Amino acid sequence: MGLLRIMMPPKFQLLAVLAFGVAMLFLENQIQKLEESRGKLGNRLTFRGPRPEPERAIARHEVREIEQRHTMDGARDAPLEESEDVVIIYNRVPKTASTSFTNIAYDLCGKNKYHVLHINTTKNNPVMSLQDQVRFVKNVTSWREMKPGFYHGHVAFLDFTKFGVKRKPIYINVVRDPIERLVSYYYFLRFGDDYRPGLRRRKQGDKKTFDECVAAGGSDCAAEKLWLQIPFFCGHYSECWNVGSRWALEQAKYNLVNEYLLVGVTEELEDFIMMLEAALPRFFRGATELYRTGKKSHLRKTSEKKPPTKESIAKLQQSDIWKMENEFYEFALEQFQFVRAHAVREKDGELYLLAQNFFYEKIYPKMN
């Protein structure tokens, strides 16, 4: 700087000092940035270094689960035994003693070693979207850990053959006199039942009786509310849910006799349970005895229900909707009684299952 002071005019000496100061500030700023970068890099290297002991334990557990999963893959590829590869779907119609019957399935699942799963749909919508139909079919058919399985829920019949599955589930159901079902549902929405008495219901506080509703032309007791059992059996076609559709009625009948193993009636629930135990003992062994002699914890009764008057019944029976729903109920009842007549006999007021009534003979070629 002494040489610069001698050789350079005062004006230029001042400019040189200012330039030197700016350069020093720039260098300090760069050094600070480098120190910050080094600190961040150190932090990253520390995070990527050895994990604390709890994290390593979790990682080891996850690895073991993956290894076990791969080890089990071979067992999963092995076919299930025929008695285990069974799924029952009970697409229960509301207010047909469905909870009473389902609770028997729950009571028996531990003893008989099967799984019970409730199909809980959003807002109890009985119609699934197409993508949910695909998901549901895939779950039911490929969820090995849940087989044998008993699925139940308020969902419409779903034709599994449309999805190309090799093994269809077994469908069962229960139907009820349509006016009796509607009356029960009407009071259930207002007063609930003895199964969950503290649960607040949608129409709680409405004290109007069913007869008063019919006399006033209310919507909750209108004939259109009878249209439920037909679409539940008809399925996921749009026409099924067109109130009063003759096509829906015929499709429901077709499905009942072709797609359902057994359809009982609420009024003869014990006979339905007895026949299921005979046909599907893997699931229902002990069901009849439980129904007859158990503590009846499975039974469910709607509170505050009052029988409708003859006038209310007659008014509903004038509608074409009742006539169609009743036709379907009578059709189901006739089919159930036909199946029962070939399966049981009555003696001293009690029903008894018939023994096996067929055998094989004339078997060729003869065994040496």
Coordinates of all heavy atoms in Angstrom, one line a residue, residues 329-358:
Y329 N -93.5 -62.3 -3.0 CA -93.4 -63.0 -1.7 C -94.1 -64.3 -1.7 O -93.6 -65.3 -1.2 CB -94.1 -62.1 -0.6 CG -94.3 -62.8 0.7 CD1 -93.2 -63.0 1.6 CD2 -95.6 -63.2 1.1 CE1 -93.4 -63.7 2.8 CE2 -95.8 -63.9 2.3 CZ -94.7 -64.1 3.1 OH -94.9 -64.8 4.3
E330 N -95.3 -64.4 -2.3 CA -96.0 -65.7 -2.4 C -95.2 -66.7 -3.3 O -95.2 -67.9 -2.9 CB -97.4 -65.4 -3.1 CG -98.3 -64.6 -2.2 CD -98.9 -65.4 -1.0 OE1 -98.7 -66.6 -1.0 OE2 -99.4 -64.7 -0.1
F331 N -94.5 -66.2 -4.3 CA -93.7 -67.1 -5.1 C -92.5 -67.6 -4.2 O -92.2 -68.8 -4.3 CB -93.1 -66.3 -6.3 CG -92.2 -67.0 -7.2 CD1 -92.7 -67.8 -8.2 CD2 -90.8 -67.0 -7.0 CE1 -91.9 -68.5 -9.0 CE2 -90.0 -67.7 -7.8 CZ -90.5 -68.5 -8.8
A332 N -91.9 -66.8 -3.4 CA -90.8 -67.2 -2.6 C -91.3 -68.2 -1.5 O -90.6 -69.2 -1.2 CB -90.1 -66.0 -1.9
L333 N -92.5 -67.9 -1.0 CA -93.0 -68.8 0.1 C -93.4 -70.1 -0.5 O -93.1 -71.2 0.1 CB -94.3 -68.1 0.6 CG -95.1 -68.9 1.7 CD1 -94.2 -69.2 2.9 CD2 -96.4 -68.2 2.1
E334 N -93.9 -70.2 -1.7 CA -94.3 -71.5 -2.3 C -93.0 -72.3 -2.6 O -93.0 -73.5 -2.4 CB -95.0 -71.2 -3.6 CG -95.4 -72.5 -4.3 CD -96.2 -72.2 -5.6 OE1 -96.3 -71.1 -6.0 OE2 -96.6 -73.2 -6.3
Q335 N -92.0 -71.6 -3.1 CA -90.7 -72.3 -3.3 C -90.1 -72.8 -2.1 O -89.6 -74.0 -2.0 CB -89.7 -71.4 -4.0 CG -88.3 -71.9 -4.3 CD -88.3 -73.1 -5.3 OE1 -89.3 -73.3 -6.0 NE2 -87.2 -73.8 -5.3
F336 N -90.1 -72.0 -1.0 CA -89.6 -72.5 0.3 C -90.3 -73.7 0.8 O -89.7 -74.7 1.3 CB -89.6 -71.3 1.3 CG -89.2 -71.7 2.7 CD1 -87.8 -72.0 2.9 CD2 -90.1 -71.8 3.7 CE1 -87.4 -72.4 4.2 CE2 -89.7 -72.2 5.0 CZ -88.4 -72.5 5.2
Q337 N -91.6 -73.6 0.8 CA -92.4 -74.7 1.3 C -92.3 -76.0 0.4 O -92.3 -77.1 1.0 CB -93.9 -74.3 1.3 CG -94.2 -73.3 2.4 CD -95.6 -72.8 2.4 OE1 -96.4 -72.9 1.4 NE2 -96.1 -72.2 3.5
F338 N -92.0 -75.8 -0.8 CA -91.7 -77.0 -1.7 C -90.4 -77.6 -1.3 O -90.3 -78.9 -1.1 CB -91.7 -76.5 -3.2 CG -91.3 -77.6 -4.1 CD1 -92.2 -78.5 -4.6 CD2 -89.9 -77.7 -4.5 CE1 -91.8 -79.5 -5.5 CE2 -89.6 -78.7 -5.4 CZ -90.5 -79.6 -5.9
V339 N -89.4 -76.8 -1.1 CA -88.1 -77.4 -0.7 C -88.2 -78.0 0.7 O -87.7 -79.1 0.9 CB -87.0 -76.3 -0.7 CG1 -85.7 -76.8 -0.1 CG2 -86.8 -75.7 -2.1
R340 N -88.9 -77.4 1.6 CA -89.1 -77.9 2.9 C -89.8 -79.3 2.9 O -89.5 -80.2 3.7 CB -89.8 -76.9 3.8 CG -89.9 -77.4 5.3 CD -90.7 -76.3 6.1 NE -92.1 -76.1 5.6 CZ -92.9 -75.2 6.1 NH1 -92.5 -74.4 7.0 NH2 -94.1 -75.1 5.5
A341 N -90.9 -79.4 2.1 CA -91.6 -80.6 2.0 C -90.8 -81.8 1.6 O -91.1 -82.9 2.0 CB -92.8 -80.4 1.1
H342 N -89.8 -81.5 0.9 CA -88.9 -82.6 0.4 C -87.7 -82.8 1.3 O -86.8 -83.6 1.0 CB -88.4 -82.4 -1.0 CG -89.5 -82.5 -2.0 ND1 -90.5 -81.6 -2.3 CD2 -89.8 -83.6 -2.9 CE1 -91.3 -82.0 -3.2 NE2 -91.0 -83.2 -3.6
A343 N -87.6 -82.0 2.4 CA -86.4 -82.1 3.3 C -86.8 -82.5 4.7 O -85.9 -83.1 5.4 CB -85.7 -80.8 3.3
V344 N -88.0 -82.2 5.2 CA -88.4 -82.5 6.6 C -89.7 -83.2 6.6 O -90.5 -83.2 5.7 CB -88.4 -81.2 7.4 CG1 -87.1 -80.5 7.4 CG2 -89.5 -80.3 6.9
R345 N -89.9 -83.8 7.8 CA -91.2 -84.4 8.1 C -91.6 -84.0 9.5 O -90.8 -83.7 10.4 CB -91.2 -85.9 8.1 CG -91.1 -86.5 6.7 CD -92.4 -86.4 5.9 NE -92.3 -87.0 4.6 CZ -91.9 -86.3 3.5 NH1 -91.5 -85.0 3.6 NH2 -91.8 -86.9 2.3
E346 N -92.9 -83.8 9.7 CA -93.5 -83.4 11.0 C -94.0 -84.6 11.8 O -94.7 -85.5 11.3 CB -94.6 -82.4 10.8 CG -95.1 -81.8 12.2 CD -96.1 -80.8 12.0 OE1 -96.3 -80.3 10.8 OE2 -96.8 -80.4 13.0
K347 N -93.6 -84.7 13.1 CA -94.0 -85.8 14.0 C -94.2 -85.2 15.4 O -93.3 -84.6 15.9 CB -93.0 -86.9 14.0 CG -93.5 -88.1 14.8 CD -92.4 -89.2 14.8 CE -92.8 -90.4 15.6 NZ -91.8 -91.5 15.6
D348 N -95.5 -85.4 15.9 CA -95.8 -84.9 17.2 C -95.5 -83.4 17.4 O -95.0 -82.9 18.4 CB -95.1 -85.7 18.3 CG -95.4 -87.2 18.3 OD1 -96.6 -87.5 17.9 OD2 -94.5 -88.0 18.6
G349 N -95.8 -82.7 16.3 CA -95.6 -81.2 16.4 C -94.1 -80.8 16.2 O -93.9 -79.6 16.2
E350 N -93.2 -81.7 15.9 CA -91.8 -81.4 15.7 C -91.4 -81.7 14.3 O -91.9 -82.7 13.7 CB -90.9 -82.1 16.7 CG -91.1 -81.7 18.2 CD -90.5 -80.4 18.5 OE1 -89.7 -79.9 17.7 OE2 -91.0 -79.8 19.5
L351 N -90.5 -80.9 13.8 CA -90.0 -81.2 12.4 C -88.7 -82.0 12.5 O -87.8 -81.7 13.4 CB -89.7 -79.9 11.7 CG -90.9 -79.0 11.3 CD1 -90.5 -77.7 10.7 CD2 -91.8 -79.8 10.4
Y352 N -88.5 -83.0 11.6 CA -87.3 -83.8 11.6 C -86.8 -83.8 10.2 O -87.6 -83.9 9.2 CB -87.6 -85.2 12.1 CG -88.1 -85.3 13.5 CD1 -89.5 -85.2 13.8 CD2 -87.2 -85.5 14.5 CE1 -89.9 -85.3 15.1 CE2 -87.6 -85.5 15.9 CZ -88.9 -85.4 16.2 OH -89.4 -85.5 17.5
L353 N -85.5 -83.7 10.1 CA -84.9 -83.8 8.7 C -84.9 -85.2 8.2 O -84.7 -86.2 9.0 CB -83.4 -83.3 8.8 CG -83.2 -81.8 9.1 CD1 -81.8 -81.5 9.4 CD2 -83.6 -81.0 7.8
L354 N -85.2 -85.4 6.9 CA -85.2 -86.7 6.3 C -83.7 -87.2 6.1 O -82.8 -86.4 5.9 CB -85.8 -86.6 4.9 CG -87.3 -86.3 4.9 CD1 -87.9 -86.2 3.5 CD2 -88.1 -87.4 5.7
A355 N -83.5 -88.5 6.3 CA -82.2 -89.0 6.1 C -81.9 -89.1 4.6 O -82.8 -88.8 3.7 CB -82.2 -90.4 6.7
Q356 N -80.7 -89.4 4.2 CA -80.3 -89.5 2.8 C -81.2 -90.5 2.1 O -81.4 -91.6 2.6 CB -78.9 -89.9 2.7 CG -78.4 -90.0 1.2 CD -76.9 -90.2 1.1 OE1 -76.1 -89.5 1.8 NE2 -76.5 -91.1 0.2
N357 N -81.8 -90.0 1.0 CA -82.8 -90.8 0.3 C -82.4 -91.3 -1.1 O -83.2 -91.5 -2.0 CB -84.1 -90.0 0.2 CG -85.3 -90.9 0.0 OD1 -85.4 -92.0 0.4 ND2 -86.3 -90.3 -0.7
F358 N -81.1 -91.4 -1.3 CA -80.6 -91.9 -2.5 C -79.3 -92.7 -2.3 O -78.7 -92.5 -1.2 CB -80.3 -90.8 -3.6 CG -79.1 -90.0 -3.2 CD1 -77.8 -90.3 -3.7 CD2 -79.1 -88.9 -2.4 CE1 -76.7 -89.6 -3.4 CE2 -78.0 -88.1 -2.1 CZ -76.8 -88.5 -2.6

